[in-house]
Amino acid sequence: MIRTELCEMLGIEHPIIQAGMGPYSTNSLAAAAANAGALGLISTSGLILGATQAQEALTGEETGTPYELLKRLLYRIKEDTKDSKGIFGINCMVSAEFTAQARDIIQAVIDVRNEDAEMRERLKVIVTSAGDPLPWTETIKPSGVKWFHVVPSVRHAKRCERAGVDVIIASGHEGGMHVAWEPVHTMVLLPAVVNAVSTPVVGAGGFCDGATLAAALALGAVGVQMGTRFLATKESDFMQMWKEQILKSGERDTTVARGIVGPGRYLKNEASLELTEITVKKAPGLFLGQPDDLMTVAPEVMKKELEGFAATFAGDEKKALWAGGEVAGRIDDLPTVKELIDKVVTEAEEIIRSLPRKIGGRK
Ligand SMILES: Cc1cc2nc3c(=O)[nH]c(=O)nc-3n(C[C@H](O)[C@H](O)[C@H](O)COP(=O)(O)O)c2cc1C
């Protein structure tokens, strides 16, 4: 059993976070992860972008505002995790483009926790990402929910400390989907952030097994957040063809191209390579560390990406855009979420126990 500050803070068994991953709302995944003793996260980017899947996942035909839909979804996850008393949270992008929607999503969590005592016990975390944490302090801090924020750099991590964030998630450039304009990978980013702040840090980007969990702990993290690895599990809400593409991918089979909220890492296929080519021509700032925004980015880039998302929902394998991290190259099975989590922590424990034998040349 590996217990860290993250486990103590949240009352979870294992120092593992199942990442929020849009466009799906990761309902089944979050419930399965919470039931298996990790922190399960519901992704809200589908709700923010108005993706119908998030709506249909609730009760088939049900419609409503993102605020109403998320509230219903949270009560459903509470029901799905009631036997294990699993701990869950939500991921919400707070990039400038989606401030109004993010406000509704965060308010839904705060309201649900205020109206239901069990929610206060088990809906414990808001993970914000893809934006500046500072403007959210006044909304999130007084509510008592634990606040995690995802960062790609030491500078951003220091901003999180100013904002009063409880846990910083340092996300390296090898991670799936949202990556930073400046590419810094986990092996450099994670220890740099740990050394720069006194807030607990979780590593993200490239984690998938016991060895990588043990490495994160060695680098000073209190746990790991895994996205791509959880995507490729039996319970994951993602399409079978997406999961299979992860199994087929080697470590060089991802590409970075312009996404809706900045650079995104996709599994290589015809559509993602075309998007990369358009990005090189029309939004080269992405490869030069020069951010553009929705007002300045070439419309062709956005059009191509939106077509890719539509094709994904339509099940069009050729044109679909599938996000995924470099770690896809290390994934070759589709376990249940519980099998995965149990294996990761058992392996990590074995590795950590074996390390003293490596000191001083002893076998
Ligand atoms: C398919 C996919 C969708 C993602 N969507 C989101 C999202 O909506 N919001 C977000 O903050 N991060 C998103 N991420 C990033 C994850 O939350 C996580 O930080 C990342 O997957 C970690 O790297 P890994 O894939 O190497 O585990 C996504 C990742 C993937 C693979």
Side-chain angles (χ1 to χ4, degrees), residues 19-23 43-46 91-93 127-130 150 169 171-172 174-178 204-208 225-231 238 242 265 322-328:
M21 288 179 286
S43 169
T44 63
S45 54
N91 168 233
C92 180
M93 292 189 299
V127 178
T128 49
S129 57
V150 183
I169 302 180
S171 188
E174 58 271 75
M177 195 62 214
H178 305 293
F207 297 98
C208 64
Q225 164 164 286
M226 302 193 295
T228 306
R229 177 59 275 195
F230 274 114
L231 197 160
F238 288 73
W242 197 328
R265 184 177 296 281
W322 294 313
E326 286 177 8
V327 76

Side-chain angles (χ1 to χ4, degrees), residues 57 219 276 297 318:
L219 294 172
T276 309
V297 68
K318 278 223 147 101

Side-chain angles (χ1 to χ4, degrees), residues 181-254:
W181 297 94
E182 294 282 359
V184 184
H185 291 74
T186 298
M187 190 57 95
V188 170
L189 178 72
L190 180 53
V193 170
V194 167
N195 288 339
V197 296
S198 54
T199 307
V201 180
V202 163
F207 297 98
C208 64
D209 59 5
T212 45
L213 170 57
L217 299 177
L219 294 172
V222 296
V224 294
Q225 164 164 286
M226 302 193 295
T228 306
R229 177 59 275 195
F230 274 114
L231 197 160
T233 56
K234 289 218 165 65
E235 294 95 329
S236 133
D237 309 73
F238 288 73
M239 286 164 168
Q240 189 64 20
M241 57 182 187
W242 197 328
K243 299 180 189 180
E244 279 163 16
Q245 190 68 21
I246 289 177
L247 304 189
K248 279 188 229 158
S249 296
E251 79 282 6
R252 298 202 296 183
D253 288 334
T254 66

Side-chain angles (χ1 to χ4, degrees), residues 66-79:
Y67 173 87
E68 292 160 347
L69 288 166
L70 181 60
K71 277 183 89 173
R72 281 183 231 144
L73 186 51
L74 291 170
Y75 278 105
R76 208 180 78 187
I77 304 281
K78 182 183 118 177
E79 194 57 26

